[in-house]
Amino acid sequence: MRIVIAPDKFKGSLSAPDVCRHLEKGLQAAAGGNLDILRIPVADGGEGTLDAAVGSGFTRRSATVSGPSGQPVKADFAVRGHEAVIEMAAASGLALLPQVQGGGQPDSASAATATSLGTGQLIRAALDAGCRRIILGVGGSANTDGGAGLLQGLGARFLDATGNELPAGGAALANLHRIDFTDFEPRLVETRFVLASDVDNPLLGPQGAPAVFGPQKGATPQDVELLDTALARFVEVLAREIGFRAERAAEAPGAGAAGGVGYAAIAVLAATRRPGIDVVLEFTQLAHRLAGADLVITGEGSLDEQSLLGKTPMGVARAAAAAGIPVVAVCGRTTLSPEQQQDSGFRQVYPLTALEPKVDICIAEAGSLLEQLGKNILHELANPAAADATGTKEPLNV
């Protein structure tokens, strides 16, 4: 029997490769080690995208860049030929803020000053590695700087009325007078960018990056107002430098992604925005690698209504359905009704909470619980009446 395991991470608990490893251990234990198992960790364009790339044949590289607070951080990216995958959270992520690393929460100061500079520096490292197609996976960012830091990492200089460079962060853009592109990275002309993001918010306004995502990053109502005004100034000045497309880009779906990094990517890097799961399934070549499989197992930490909007399990389920392969899901917990599970294409959903009702224990002991789920999955698929009182599901040949 051939099984493909293609889950996302269990956020706060296990990475996608770890989920694969624990599931495989349980499945093989139940089958006496006789299963042919292919592990394909996947993601939806945010955190975990790098693991998905490495699991699909990309080579992990690293560079020391500026973190969201200006502190040096070692950030990984992935390279395959002339293609690179950059996970923004590795360089500019919320989890890299010193106060968050210390167990606290982001605050007003970091909301105003956090920068995407390190992401721009990672792009430069990818260019140095010879890459000319770059997938930028955004999500989990600390900044609300409109991608100004990213552009600084690529050589742009943001100047005030006296010709001095602005300090880092979105709030400082309120004093922006001119952007100097004299030393802007010339290799970008021959580089294509894909913005992997499911966020369709514009840059500004009530649905913009400061208003919708700023509070998650510590922004107060006053900060939100200031950041929105500052980003509007950024758009105005950028339009003077590169033309009307800078104004159009501010309204583009996805411009508000990652604190406005989507805006800089669309306006200046001419990035094409695509749903994150589509991008990941493409570079992992999931559809091709499903050939000959008898079962697909996918999942994520919480399988809920948001999952139905295009998260990883749904993308994998669609690929499995197109290949005519049954698919089951594992998760930490689920709020989906049996009808929603069936409509989503899942033969069965296996939450950790079915084994351990306490969520905190599920998070702490996810690995061992997944191994038990692996055993249960194989037993119940071979004996469908064990999972379905009607016994109507066809057993798999295990």
Side-chain angles (χ1 to χ4, degrees):
M1 184 182 188
R2 187 164 191 262
I3 298 176
V4 173
I5 307 175
D8 202 339
K9 64 188 175 300
F10 279 32
K11 190 170 183 177
S13 184
L14 295 174
S15 67
D18 285 338
V19 173
C20 290
R21 179 170 55 86
H22 286 291
L23 272 176
E24 179 174 8
K25 185 176 180 180
L27 290 163
Q28 293 287 23
N34 294 321
L35 298 175
D36 175 13
I37 294 180
L38 176 61
R39 292 185 272 180
I40 310 177
V42 288
D44 59 10
E47 296 168 88
T49 299
L50 185 63
D51 284 335
V54 172
S56 300
F58 284 72
T59 300
R60 190 182 295 270
R61 303 281 187 92
S62 65
T64 299
V65 301
S66 179
S69 298
Q71 78 283 18
V73 299
K74 183 179 179 182
D76 290 349
F77 61 105
V79 172
R80 183 173 66 188
H82 296 293
E83 185 175 33
V85 174
I86 289 175
E87 184 178 301
M88 185 181 170
S92 310
L94 197 65
L96 297 176
L97 291 173
Q99 61 267 47
V100 175
Q101 290 180 321
Q105 296 296 320
D107 55 26
S108 177
S110 63
T113 61
T115 176
S116 58
L117 175 63
T119 300
Q121 293 170 332
L122 266 191
I123 291 174
R124 227 170 196 170
L127 295 175
D128 291 342
C131 299
R132 294 300 180 266
R133 182 177 188 268
I134 296 176
I135 296 168
L136 184 58
V138 297
S141 64
N143 57 279
T144 308
D145 67 353
L150 180 149
L151 299 180
Q152 288 173 308
L154 294 170
R157 298 174 67 231
F158 286 68
L159 308 174
D160 63 19
T162 62
N164 293 317
E165 289 203 48
L166 295 177
L173 295 171
N175 296 316
L176 180 63
H177 180 71
R178 184 169 69 90
I179 306 173
D180 182 359
F181 283 103
T182 302
D183 296 323
F184 201 54
E185 176 57 67
R187 293 172 292 182
L188 293 170
V189 174
E190 56 188 16
T191 305
R192 292 183 298 132
F193 286 86
V194 175
L195 178 68
S197 173
D198 296 325
V199 171
D200 59 5
N201 301 68
L203 179 65
L204 304 171
Q207 296 302 314
V212 175
F213 305 112
Q216 302 170 12
K217 305 174 185 185
T220 65
Q222 293 77 20
D223 294 327
V224 168
E225 184 176 352
L226 171 60
L227 288 166
D228 198 70
T229 299
L231 293 186
R233 176 64 178 170
F234 177 27
V235 173
E236 178 186 348
V237 175
L238 186 60
R240 289 206 307 261
E241 302 289 348
I242 69 172
F244 183 63
R245 73 177 187 273
E247 294 182 1
R248 294 198 305 268
E251 296 297 326
V261 162
Y263 170 67
I266 294 168
V268 182
L269 304 182
T272 300
R273 173 180 165 265
R274 295 183 57 200
I277 184 60
D278 291 353
V279 174
V280 174
L281 294 189
E282 182 178 282
F283 73 62
T284 58
Q285 300 179 316
L286 179 73
H288 173 73
R289 296 165 76 187
L290 290 179
D294 299 294
L295 175 69
V296 176
I297 304 176
T298 187
E300 62 181 347
S302 179
L303 193 64
D304 51 34
E305 282 71 16
Q306 283 199 344
S307 304
L308 305 180
L309 302 177
K311 303 287 276 185
T312 296
M314 294 305 302
V316 175
R318 286 195 299 270
I325 304 169
V327 58
V328 300
V330 296
C331 56
R333 62 180 180 181
T334 183
T335 61
L336 299 183
S337 67
E339 292 75 20
Q340 287 175 312
Q341 295 174 20
Q342 185 175 19
D343 291 344
S344 300
F346 300 122
R347 178 185 177 112
Q348 191 79 17
V349 172
Y350 296 87
L352 298 186
T353 51
L355 302 177
E356 169 52 63
K358 294 182 178 178
V359 173
D360 57 340
I361 296 179
C362 287
I363 293 172
E365 301 180 9
S368 59
L369 290 171
L370 277 170
E371 291 171 20
Q372 183 59 51
L373 275 190
K375 297 174 185 177
N376 293 354
I377 288 170
L378 206 65
H379 172 70
E380 292 178 1
L381 290 176
N383 306 278
D388 182 354
T390 66
T392 56
K393 293 187 176 74
E394 291 295 321
L396 294 179
N397 182 18
V398 296

